[in-house]
Amino acid sequence: DELNSESEDGTPSFTTDYKEVFFTRCEAGKRETKGCKIMYSTRQGDKWNDPKDTGILPDSVVAAHPAISPDGLTLYFVAEISGGAGGKDIWSVTRTKTSDPWSKPQNAGLDINTKGDELFPYVRNNGMLYFSSYGLIGMGGLDIFRAVSQPDGSWVVTNLKAPINSSADDFGITF
């Protein structure tokens, strides 16, 4: 009850210790005027604290689909802001420790982002990033891809193909 609101809340991502949750909140019927925000809450005992805006983007910009890294220091999300490849891109913010503020958003780069939409990032415990894309070559509609970070900052991106992907829209993978 502490997390749910009358707004459209969704796409939660928990830290590995389940003490922090990040999620998207869109004011119902006001997406275009107020945007969507990435909210977070911390857990104390068996209760969640009142959610707060991460503040990573201005109020009028849609930020959605948060995915927190296993160490809790990188937060991936989706936004359509200047400096991107076009459409909705995957971005990230970082912090040195969990009590620090988030950095300025950084685009995940052209290995991942295209002129189409990239959506629904998910970070596995081994650090591999999964996401869906309309812009990368796939089997049809949204396909799910795996991205492995390289030492030089680039990504090796692989389409997961059948049976994970199909000719329809495939998105929202979890493990």
Side-chain angles (χ1 to χ4, degrees), residues 8-11 23-27 34-40 52-66:
E8 297 174 5
D9 298 331
T11 60
F23 62 96
T24 305
R25 174 167 287 166
C26 303
E27 282 196 46
K34 291 224 169 198
C36 298
K37 301 175 183 179
I38 305 234
M39 306 292 288
Y40 74 98
K52 293 182 174 57
D53 183 353
T54 59
I56 58 177
L57 290 175
D59 283 346
S60 61
V61 176
V62 172
H65 308 165

Side-chain angles (χ1 to χ4, degrees), residues 56-57 77 81 91-93 103-107:
I56 58 177
L57 290 175
F77 62 96
I81 56 179
W91 297 77
S92 66
V93 289
S103 68
K104 179 181 171 185
Q106 296 293 313
N107 188 280

Side-chain angles (χ1 to χ4, degrees), residues 71-86:
D71 63 8
L73 302 178
T74 302
L75 180 67
Y76 295 93
F77 62 96
V78 172
E80 189 172 354
I81 56 179
S82 64

Side-chain angles (χ1 to χ4, degrees), residues 75-139:
L75 180 67
Y76 295 93
F77 62 96
V78 172
E80 189 172 354
I81 56 179
S82 64
K88 293 173 181 66
D89 281 357
I90 296 177
W91 297 77
S92 66
V93 289
T94 58
R95 56 188 179 183
T96 306
K97 55 187 178 194
T98 57
S99 59
D100 286 349
W102 293 107
S103 68
K104 179 181 171 185
Q106 296 293 313
N107 188 280
L110 297 177
D111 295 328
I112 290 175
N113 293 312
T114 68
K115 291 182 180 183
D117 289 341
E118 280 65 49
L119 306 163
F120 304 104
Y122 176 88
V123 186
R124 199 165 180 185
N125 284 344
N126 62 10
M128 289 185 189
L129 177 66
Y130 293 78
F131 64 97
S132 292
S133 177
Y134 278 119
L136 292 169
I137 295 172
M139 297 177 67

Side-chain angles (χ1 to χ4, degrees), residues 2 17-19 42-49:
E2 298 93 4
D17 61 7
Y18 292 95
K19 291 185 179 182
T42 55
R43 188 174 182 91
Q44 290 185 327
D46 62 350
K47 298 279 185 191
W48 289 99
N49 292 319

